[in-house]
Amino acid sequence: MFGKKILGTILCAAIAFTALTGCAGGGTKKVGISMPTQDLQRWNQDGAYMKEKFEAAGYEVDLQYAGNKADTQLSQVENMINSGCKVLIIAAIESSSLGTALDKAAKKKIPVIAYDRLIMDNENVDYYATFDNGLVGKLQGEYVRDALNLDSTSGPYNIEFTAGDPGDNNATFFFNGAMEVLKPYIDAGKLVCVSGQTDFSSVATAEWNTANAQSRAENIIGTYYADKQIDAWLCSNDSTAQGVANALEKLYTGAYPVVTGQDCDKVSVKNMINGKQTMSIFKDTRTLAARTVTMVNQILNNETVEVNDTSTYNNNKKVVPTFLCDPVSVDLSNYQKVLIDSGYYTQADIDNA
Ligand code: BGC
């Protein structure tokens, strides 16, 4: 009787300890992964790859998606802190709205890795794992420059711009990277933006949402391009490129423009094959996930954490040590090699998108 009571007490204590620390299986370390949304293919892949790789490395994983709602993400991250996660990996919905959670994490000495998107305005961001965001925009701009032969023809060519969510720190990096390449041609009159909308705030797309990008593109086509050709539409990613492609399909009758994108979402790769999008930027989520697992291992084992950029990503409180992975420009000429032969997709994945 007495023995049973002691056993019960020990069991209860063990259960309480497990609930408190989130440690299952005698000390398994729990990793909290907070992703923005399941609406976009890429975040599902990022989450799935990380979960798989962390579990294979012996971690327990708490993976949450926040439906693109900043307050949901905040409470999910707070739950991760309270349930004993030993490290947090966060792709922020709004770059500046996680401050209270990060302060709590810091008090508990829980390291924070900003995943793909930098978390701004807080000093408790320990590392940043991402792709070279400026280079993504530059590759898009260079693609437009080369596709229109801007250096060897006189033009002028008409161009429009669709950028990303103003709350996402990446969005300005992409836009500025592209503009660095294209602005000289605009200034020289070789590229003409007929709508006149060339500043980030006019061309941004709330939540990177396809429908929002489509309705703005429909307005622009209806207002400015009834009898004019559109030669290029610089879109910062695939979800916005898909909106622009829908608008072009619905309202535009001229020769199809060069349309850029980013992520190589299956739908956008299919659109490339069908001539509705010209290029995309491939960011291999397998690479970023693997890099993040390496970072976590290095942090938790008190090893030197490998980074390759210690100057670019200032979050207004500090320069966050960063590991940048390489983005790759993809179009019809190399999608087979980069996406299919590498095992990222099967041809059927694209056909059935
Ligand atoms: C990511 C892009 C993605 C976009 C929309 C950005 O922060 O870097 O890959 O397309 O968010 O989710």
Side-chain angles (χ1 to χ4, degrees):
M1 182 71 183
F2 183 67
K4 263 191 192 162
K5 207 170 169 190
I6 291 184
L7 193 66
T9 311
I10 292 172
L11 261 177
C12 284
I15 290 164
F17 177 76
T18 303
L20 198 69
T21 60
C23 293
T28 307
K29 286 188 176 135
K30 187 158 80 162
V31 176
I33 304 178
S34 170
M35 293 283 112
T37 173
Q38 289 194 285
D39 290 350
L40 247 73
Q41 184 200 316
R42 72 151 293 183
W43 301 115
N44 292 291
Q45 269 167 302
D46 287 282
Y49 283 134
M50 269 193 284
K51 187 166 166 24
E52 185 189 312
K53 286 186 174 26
F54 273 116
E55 285 176 351
Y59 292 90
E60 185 188 341
V61 173
D62 181 1
L63 168 63
Q64 302 286 337
Y65 288 87
N68 252 341
K69 300 262 179 300
D71 52 348
T72 305
Q73 183 165 47
L74 181 62
S75 66
Q76 286 176 341
V77 171
E78 284 179 341
N79 284 341
M80 288 171 185
I81 296 167
N82 295 335
S83 74
C85 287
K86 296 294 175 230
V87 60
L88 295 172
I89 296 158
I90 305 171
I93 293 164
E94 271 174 24
S95 59
S96 302
S97 53
L98 289 165
T100 51
L102 297 201
D103 294 345
K104 278 184 199 158
K107 275 201 191 108
K108 290 194 166 188
K109 299 202 175 358
I110 301 171
V112 173
I113 298 177
Y115 183 88
D116 195 68
R117 299 173 171 175
L118 185 57
I119 302 173
M120 303 297 287
D121 304 315
N122 191 290
E123 60 221 277
N124 304 313
V125 183
D126 296 284
Y127 294 97
Y128 181 30
T130 188
F131 289 85
D132 188 334
N133 297 300
L135 181 57
V136 168
K138 191 163 175 257
L139 291 172
Q140 293 168 331
E142 287 173 349
Y143 195 95
V144 169
R145 178 196 67 197
D146 297 345
L148 297 181
N149 291 313
L150 292 180
D151 286 330
S152 55
T153 57
S154 50
Y157 299 99
N158 295 335
I159 187 166
E160 293 296 332
F161 298 89
T162 295
D165 187 309
D168 176 355
N169 185 60
N170 286 351
T172 44
F173 270 86
F174 302 144
F175 184 69
N176 293 343
M179 270 303 189
E180 208 175 284
V181 179
L182 298 176
K183 189 160 179 303
Y185 300 96
I186 298 176
D187 292 345
K190 255 191 191 185
L191 277 179
V192 178
C193 179
V194 179
S195 72
Q197 297 172 22
T198 55
D199 63 300
F200 177 76
S201 57
S202 316
V203 304
T205 309
E207 291 183 12
W208 294 93
N209 180 280
T210 299
N212 293 344
Q214 178 171 346
S215 73
R216 179 173 165 269
E218 285 182 10
N219 268 331
I220 288 176
I221 297 166
T223 312
Y224 301 101
Y225 289 96
D227 53 2
K228 279 197 176 73
Q229 164 108 358
I230 308 171
D231 298 296
W233 204 307
L234 190 291
C235 300
S236 289
N237 85 332
D238 284 349
S239 59
T240 54
Q242 288 161 24
V244 168
N246 293 343
L248 289 167
E249 195 168 15
K250 193 164 153 194
L251 298 177
Y252 178 71
T253 50
Y256 207 82
V258 174
V259 177
T260 67
Q262 166 183 195
D263 291 337
C264 286
D265 277 3
K266 291 174 207 164
V267 170
S268 280
V269 178
K270 194 172 183 181
N271 277 356
M272 278 198 277
I273 295 167
N274 295 332
K276 294 184 195 167
Q277 185 172 324
T278 320
M279 64 85 72
S280 187
I281 301 289
F282 180 49
K283 304 197 299 189
D284 193 331
T285 45
R286 296 170 299 190
T287 312
L288 190 57
R291 171 51 52 189
T292 309
V293 175
T294 303
M295 261 187 179
V296 168
N297 280 332
Q298 290 170 337
I299 294 170
L300 296 182
N301 293 330
N302 287 324
E303 291 164 9
T304 306
V305 177
E306 214 182 323
V307 292
N308 59 12
D309 185 307
T310 50
S311 62
T312 311
Y313 291 96
N314 188 326
N315 78 347
N316 299 331
K317 292 287 180 192
K318 69 193 247 198
V319 176
V320 182
T322 297
F323 196 99
L324 294 176
C325 302
D326 294 327
V328 177
S329 184
V330 167
D331 67 3
L332 271 190
S333 70
N334 65 347
Y335 89 91
Q336 177 81 34
K337 180 167 168 263
V338 178
L339 301 176
I340 314 278
D341 298 351
S342 74
Y344 197 75
Y345 293 139
T346 62
Q347 188 62 50
D349 286 334
I350 308 299
D351 296 343
N352 300 329

